[in-house]
Amino acid sequence: MARKTANDDPLAPVTLAVGQEELLLDRAVRDVVAAAKAADADTDVRDLTPDQLQPGTLAELTSPSLFAERKVVVVRNAQDLSADTIKDVKAYLGAPAEEITLVLLHAGGAKGKGLLDAARKAGAREVACPKMTKPADRLAFVRGEFRTAGRSATPEACQALVDAIGSDLRELASAVSQLVADVEGTIDEAVVGRYYTGRAEASSFTVADRAVEGRAAEALEALRWSLATGVAPVLITSALAQGVRAIGKLSSARGGRPADLARELGMPPWKIDRVRQQMRGWTPDGVAVALRAVAEADAGVKGGGDDPEYALEKAVVTIARAARSRGRG
């Protein structure tokens, strides 16, 4: 979720929302507008793009009103403002007007960094809205959504939801809202499965789970369904790699409680339990064979082969066989 600075008053004179995650940027704006309208239902909201904020426009929007009305001025993609307009904004930051809240949305890169630095130096309230590219970040987001809603969801349910929905934060937030509205009590993995079973079956992680469990036929079925529904092949090779590496890490780790192993291996405790069940039948040689198969598949889907689908099928079958290598020994 979006991270905020210590100054967490949404009615601060200037709010700086930094990042490229559209949902979090929109929420940063929504929070300011909601607070302003709670203070004054007649608050005037102006939502502007860089081409709409010309030199002199900000001065007009923030000039004193005869009726001292509250106003929120939102500037999107502030990094794309013209040099002359940036001068206007910097000048305004030094003496913000009363009853007016300026919200600057900035991508956070090198472009327009001078404006970013000026807003921070002026003491702007800052909301971090980073793009969530890591599965762990999306998992934390889902957990936060349930907490914000005042509801309890098991770690397995949160993971299943991320696996089923994917990387789109709007869809994840919508899925949490639907579950919260429809389900009473603690939300568990079974509930998520009932609601999103079709998408869960198309998940790259489902392919990986079935493969490392040695269930070749089910893994191939999940693989074909994933590809048919548009899952990117690189996501599937990534999931396969994570699954095999988890087997290798846990098989070489010292015994102990899930909590201790979780700290040692950097996995959540619930995943330790799942991988323990999956690693039955695996040998060190099997892990090595599976890792080579994943590497070959990864090269195949990234242009090193003529048929990415065949490369994935070959890897899935090899991994599933490796999962049963102890039994064949």
Side-chain angles (χ1 to χ4, degrees), residues 65-87:
S65 167
L66 179 63
F67 302 103
E69 65 179 356
R70 182 176 291 278
K71 186 178 296 184
V72 175
V73 178
V74 180
V75 180
R76 297 185 182 272
N77 298 312
Q79 72 279 356
D80 295 330
L81 292 171
S82 68
D84 288 337
T85 303
I86 287 177
K87 290 179 182 177

Side-chain angles (χ1 to χ4, degrees), residues 22 29 49 51 57 65 69 71 88 94 120 135 152 176 185 190 193 210 229 245 254-255 265 269 280 292 310:
E22 292 296 331
V29 173
T49 56
D51 61 302
T57 304
S65 167
E69 65 179 356
K71 186 178 296 184
D88 286 353
R120 287 170 171 162
S152 175
V176 170
R210 299 297 86 80
T229 54
R245 286 180 188 135
R254 299 186 301 274
L265 302 179
R280 297 169 186 162
R292 284 197 296 272
Y310 172 74

Side-chain angles (χ1 to χ4, degrees), residues 5 30 76 161 201-202 251 299 316:
T5 56
R30 181 199 64 190
R76 297 185 182 272
L161 196 60
E201 288 172 358
S251 62
V316 164

Side-chain angles (χ1 to χ4, degrees), residues 283 324-329:
T283 65
R324 300 193 301 272
S325 57
R326 189 185 301 277
R328 295 199 307 272

